[in-house]
Every structure is written in structure tokens, then in C-alpha cells.
Amino acid sequence: MAESSNSKTSWADDVEEEEEAANMSKQQQQQPQQQAEQAEQAAQPAAEEQKHENLVKNEHDVNVTLADLQADPNSPLYSIKEFTDLGLKEELLKGLALMRFSRPSKIQERALPLILNNDTNLIGQSQSGTGKTAAFVLSMLTKVDITKSVPQALCLAPSRELARQILAVVDNMGSFLQIKTQFAVPLAIERGKIIDAQIVVGTPGTVLDCIKRRILPTKDLKMLCLDEADNMLDQQGLGDQCFRVKGFLPKTGVQVLLFSATFPQKVIEYAEKFAPGANKLTLKQEELTVEGIKQFYMDCSSDDEKYDAILKLYELMVIGQSVIFVRKRENANELHRRMTEDGHAVSSLHGAFDGNQRDKIIDDFRFGRSKVLITTNVIARGIDIASVSLVVNYDLPTLADGRTPDFETYLHRIGRTGRFGRVGASFSFVQDQLSWQQMDAIQRHFNCQMTRIDIKSDLARKQIKAIMKSSKASEQFMGVGSGN
Ligand SMILES: Nc1ncnc2c1ncn2[C@@H]1O[C@H](COP(=O)(O)OP(=O)(O)OP(=O)(O)O)[C@@H](O)[C@H]1O
């Protein structure tokens, strides 16, 4: 496991606190209403599909369809194959059709044959929002034997929200298989009941706890997937738990899949230990950023000016949906309080809320009942909500020292928009010398250019408005499936 010196700030805190706080005696399965909402969500893209071939007018006045993107060899969505070429079960092809997935993305096309044709481990990297979830979900659904009522595939994710989202994708994609799934996060496990679901998705602490309490049998497990694997293996708490979970699995015959948009060099070492002999699908540094996301920054001279600017930005944020990232829970609470007092409808999500509250807050946002979400890094990774058109870095992401820029988290945060070829924007605030240096370092690291913008100028506001509108248009007209 990696040393913790560079561990991220709120990731481990948020998960661990929730896991610790969990009272396993309060038995609580996923609420029927939540399941209904997940089903509702799965059905939503059907209407969008009608518009699949409609054109998207992006900010450069170029008309782009998903079909265009998937035919462009430079796009991460490019594929030369069809799902039918990938040797998937008939039921899964039907599941994909239900989700309106017409062609695989590049990572799906490349990873699936490597995973399905043998039991070799895989480290899979591709840009945010390019369909990694479907790659490992299809793998799990293909490899499990539905005639056996025992856990066979285990998927670990760093947050409750992400685990819940992955579970929904498994359930949707596996709709035509008689598959049983289990959500393994605090409070979701029925006390004393031995888990007999073929696919288990959860956070590492709860999964480890279930294994130790012998309610999660491991002897038939044949696949272990880690989503956001670099993050999972790089943090003291989660990394340690992941290694311990793996230690309980059969010594042979378990295929390990590690997926993420980022695999910094220092983590690759641990990844290779965790997934020995893995096939590797990795990206070059210059391939990391997502094309469709326009990156802006605003230069403020004080915290008050920063706050005024976010109020100015608000009317643009609600054209679509927006996520505002702050560094700590207290900052989220404070910004939420001030904006609410100033009459703006915003919600806030972080690891100090209990599981049910967290589910409600993210569902309200996912289903469009709230438009602006203030949050910590707890949802910086993996969360897939197609209508997020703007990501605001109210505080730039840093490592635990509060100074060193956290490049990976920056990329994951802005990747909450621009999903699967859609258009989006990010807006970062700089307010002092330190944040200037951090922004500068981020630009150099990714060799990208953030455009300076003054949100108080009419011209700038028009520019952002145009992007928000084109993002909304791309959300409506791309017509691609959504795993939410
Ligand atoms: N082949 C496909 N055709 C159409 N839509 C797809 C396809 N594959 C995935 N999608 C959709 O693309 C969106 C992004 O996919 P996903 O969440 O798996 O991305 P990701 O690569 O895991 O991103 P991140 O790195 O942020 O976790 C989802 O809404 C998903 O439903």
C-alpha cells in the first residue's frame, strides 16, 4: 500500500467516518422508492434516444453527433466494433439496448476482449466519462454463473454514492439476467443474513467487515474490481482495506480489474502488486484531459470578491446543473449557509451526513430536483450525472498539506461534466499567490490553458451562458444512454 504522506484530504475521511459511524444493527436495505427512482432513471434516456441523430451545436459552431465522435479515431469514444462483436450474452445485449448504448467506446472495445477471453488481470485507464463502468460491469455480468447463488464478483468503490451508482448500472445492464446484487455500504446489510447475491458492490470498510463476520462468503469469488483504483490504493485507509479484502479471497482464480481515469506513476507500482501480471490499457499524459470541457478561471482579490463572484455565477449555474467543490466540510456548510441566506437554492453534500441523508441529497441532484450542489471531494470521482454542465472549483484541490495542488483530483472534479462526449465548462477561482501557483502548476501538468474570465463583465457572462446552453443542448441531443 502507498505511504499516506500525500493522501487526499476528504476522501478517506468521508468514507471512513461513514463506515465507522455505521450501526450494523440497524438493518436497512435499499429503499423501494430509491429502486423505483433508479428504474425511472434507466428509462429516461428512451425519450432522448428519439433525438439521437439530432445535431449538437457546440460553442465552436461545429455540429457534432455521438456517431461523429464514435467515428473519430482521435476520440476516446471511437470504436470499430459493435457490442455484438464482443461475445456478450444475448441478455446483456438487450440490457445495453435498454440503456441506449449503440456502440462501445474505446475502453469498452479494448478492455472487454482482454477481460473476457481469459482470466488475466487488467489495469484500465481512460478519460473521465468514457464508459469504464460499463466495461467492468459487463465483465462481472458475463463471468458470473447465475445458477449459483453465491457471491462471485466483488466491486469496490471509494464512496457510498459511487458504489450505489455502480450497483444501479449492474441492475440496469443485468435487467434481462436473473441476477441478484447486494449493496455493501454501512447500514445496507441485513444483520445475520449470509449474502447470496452473485454480485456485491460496496465500500471497502463494509465489505471487509462483512467478510470478517463471515456473512460474505469469498470462496466462490472469481472477480474483484476496483473503481477509482488509483485513489483506492493510494490512501492509507482505503488502500489498507482493499489489500485486506484481497487477502481473504481465493489465492488463485480471481481476476482483478483496476479502473480509473488517472494512474499516477507512484500508484502504478501498487496497482501492479495488487493485480500481478495485468494487461495494461493506459493513457499518455497528453491524453488525460477531456476535450469537451472548456476551462476558465477567475482572478479575485479577496474571499469576499470570490463570494460575490459565485453569486453572480449562480443564475448561469442553474441553466443546467452545477457542482461547486470546496476543500472541507466546514467550507461546504459555510458556503451553503451564506448562499441560502442570500436567497439561492443550493444543496450541500459531504461525509458528515448520514447515509440516508446522503442518498437523498444525491438523488435530489441526480433527478434534477436540486440544481446546484456544494460538495467536498466525496463526489469528485466517478459520479455520472449527464446534466452537470458546470463544475466550479471554489477552492482548488490540494493534497492534505493544503498547499500542493492535487492534479488527479482536479481532473476528476472537472470530469463531472462533459460526460460521454457532451460539452461542459469548469470555473476555478484564484484569490492569492498560493492559488495562482496551484493553478499555474495544474496548467503545466496537463499542458492545458485555462481562460481568464471576469464574471462581472457582460461579455464574459454571455460567453458562459452560451457554453451552458450548448452543454444543455448536448445533454439533450447526444441521446446517449445514462448509467445514472
Ligand atoms: N457505449 C456507450 N454508449 C452510450 N453511452 C455510454 C456508453 N458507455 C457509457 N455510456 C454512458 O457514458 C456515461 C459515462 O460513463 P461512465 O460513468 O462509465 O464513465 P467513466 O469512464 O467511468 O467516468 P469516470 O472516470 O468519471 O468514472 C454514462 O452516463 C454511461 O451511461
Side-chain angles (χ1 to χ4, degrees):
M1 195 198 60
E3 285 92 36
S4 61
S5 59
N6 278 349
S7 64
K8 313 292 191 274
T9 43
S10 43
W11 273 105
D13 296 351
D14 284 335
V15 177
E16 280 163 20
E17 183 166 317
E18 191 206 356
E19 306 239 65
E20 275 165 24
N23 176 354
M24 300 300 281
S25 66
K26 285 187 201 156
Q27 305 158 17
Q28 208 151 12
Q29 290 289 359
Q30 222 182 349
Q31 298 297 315
Q33 193 195 338
Q34 289 164 2
Q35 286 165 354
E37 283 177 343
Q38 283 168 4
E40 179 197 331
Q41 185 81 0
Q44 269 180 4
E48 291 181 4
E49 176 67 6
Q50 308 295 322
K51 304 165 189 166
H52 193 187
E53 289 311 313
N54 289 1
L55 297 177
V56 178
K57 217 168 183 359
N58 76 10
E59 50 157 338
H60 306 295
D61 261 3
V62 179
N63 295 322
V64 183
T65 63
L66 178 61
D68 293 336
L69 285 174
Q70 296 211 273
D72 173 3
N74 295 318
S75 164
L77 307 184
Y78 174 69
S79 106
I80 44 165
K81 289 198 182 130
E82 305 283 341
F83 279 116
T84 44
D85 300 328
L86 296 174
L88 299 168
K89 297 175 195 172
E90 198 54 43
E91 293 87 344
L92 290 180
L93 294 175
K94 281 196 202 162
L96 287 165
L98 176 79
M99 296 181 77
R100 312 292 166 193
F101 287 14
S102 47
R103 291 183 82 90
S105 63
K106 198 180 272 183
I107 185 70
Q108 292 162 0
E109 179 194 285
R110 296 178 68 198
L112 281 163
L114 288 174
I115 300 167
L116 301 185
N117 294 344
N118 57 49
D119 290 336
T120 310
N121 298 333
L122 181 103
I123 296 175
Q125 182 183 18
S126 95
Q127 294 86 342
S128 296
T130 54
K132 293 181 287 296
T133 314
F136 63 77
V137 167
L138 286 170
S139 305
M140 294 196 288
L141 288 166
T142 301
K143 293 252 171 149
V144 298
D145 177 350
I146 52 167
T147 64
K148 288 189 188 162
S149 296
V150 283
Q152 296 163 54
L154 178 59
C155 176
L156 303 178
S159 69
R160 173 187 186 90
E161 287 73 19
L162 185 53
R164 200 158 159 262
Q165 178 181 291
I166 294 168
L167 189 78
V169 177
V170 178
D171 288 337
N172 289 340
M173 241 168 227
S175 308
F176 297 93
L177 290 169
Q178 303 303 316
I179 201 94
K180 199 167 168 196
T181 55
Q182 174 68 51
F183 189 34
V185 300
L187 304 180
I189 309 286
E190 215 178 308
R191 192 169 177 78
K193 191 174 173 288
I194 309 284
I195 296 171
D196 60 356
Q198 291 103 353
I199 299 183
V200 179
V201 183
T203 43
T206 304
V207 167
L208 183 61
D209 184 59
C210 292
I211 294 175
K212 287 204 281 198
R213 287 165 49 219
R214 296 175 187 276
I215 58 168
L216 171 50
T218 55
K219 77 174 175 39
D220 293 289
L221 282 169
K222 48 188 168 187
M223 185 168 274
L224 172 65
C225 305
L226 262 57
D227 195 12
E228 309 302 339
D230 60 322
N231 180 248
M232 301 272 271
L233 296 174
D234 189 32
Q235 291 185 65
Q236 194 168 34
L238 295 182
D240 183 46
Q241 288 164 349
C242 291
F243 272 89
R244 286 166 69 197
V245 166
K246 189 166 173 250
F248 280 102
L249 270 43
K251 296 291 164 261
T252 55
V254 178
Q255 188 173 23
V256 179
L257 310 181
L258 304 180
F259 277 92
S260 182
T262 49
F263 276 103
Q265 194 47 45
K266 66 184 163 85
V267 183
I268 279 278
E269 220 178 280
Y270 297 99
E272 284 167 350
K273 267 192 206 148
F274 198 85
N279 284 315
K280 289 192 203 74
L281 298 173
T282 50
L283 296 175
K284 297 191 195 86
Q285 175 73 13
E286 63 271 20
E287 293 176 303
L288 284 177
T289 48
V290 176
E291 285 282 305
I293 306 171
K294 184 97 186 120
Q295 300 172 58
F296 296 100
Y297 76 92
M298 168 137 175
D299 179 16
C300 300
S301 55
S302 66
D303 281 348
D304 282 344
E305 197 187 325
K306 200 167 138 180
Y307 181 68
D308 283 348
I310 197 97
L311 294 187
K312 288 255 172 335
L313 195 58
Y314 180 84
E315 71 179 72
L316 303 174
M317 288 198 262
V318 292
I319 293 174
Q321 282 183 283
S322 306
V323 183
I324 305 175
F325 285 104
V326 295
R327 183 153 179 265
K328 291 197 224 150
R329 296 165 183 186
E330 304 81 72
N331 305 26
N333 291 340
E334 176 62 7
L335 188 59
H336 179 253
R337 184 192 62 74
R338 285 182 81 180
M339 289 186 81
T340 307
E341 279 175 12
D342 281 329
H344 297 300
V346 288
S347 57
S348 157
L349 173 66
H350 54 68
F353 292 105
D354 73 33
N356 286 334
Q357 287 174 313
R358 285 171 67 160
D359 292 350
K360 178 164 181 347
I361 296 164
I362 195 76
D363 284 350
D364 282 347
F365 189 63
R366 192 179 286 286
F367 296 105
R369 293 187 287 267
S370 62
K371 295 270 199 175
V372 176
L373 181 64
I374 303 168
T375 188
T376 58
N377 285 339
V378 71
I379 64 155
R381 285 176 175 249
I383 294 301
D384 177 56
I385 298 175
S387 43
V388 171
S389 34
L390 182 68
V391 169
V392 179
N393 285 307
Y394 196 71
D395 302 325
L396 281 167
T398 60
L399 300 180
D401 62 9
R403 303 183 66 81
T404 316
D406 181 345
F407 303 120
E408 283 77 33
T409 299
Y410 176 82
L411 202 65
H412 286 276
R413 278 184 180 184
I414 69 168
R416 294 318 96 213
T417 184
R419 312 289 294 165
F420 215 77
R422 292 174 175 87
V423 177
S426 73
F427 199 98
S428 298
F429 285 99
V430 285
Q431 75 275 11
D432 52 23
Q433 201 187 358
L434 179 62
S435 50
W436 263 102
Q437 287 165 353
Q438 291 164 345
M439 186 188 69
D440 193 42
I442 290 170
Q443 294 187 103
R444 277 187 281 111
H445 185 84
F446 293 115
N447 192 23
C448 67
Q449 197 62 47
M450 297 187 206
T451 309
R452 180 178 181 151
I453 204 161
D454 179 359
I455 196 62
K456 282 175 254 156
S457 97
D458 280 347
L459 194 66
R461 292 160 64 75
K462 274 191 189 141
Q463 200 181 346
I464 300 236
K465 194 169 187 169
I467 292 175
M468 295 299 282
K469 287 195 164 158
S470 58
S471 171
K472 202 166 167 58
S474 72
E475 196 254 310
Q476 287 172 349
F477 295 127
M478 289 300 275
V480 293
S482 172
N484 315 328

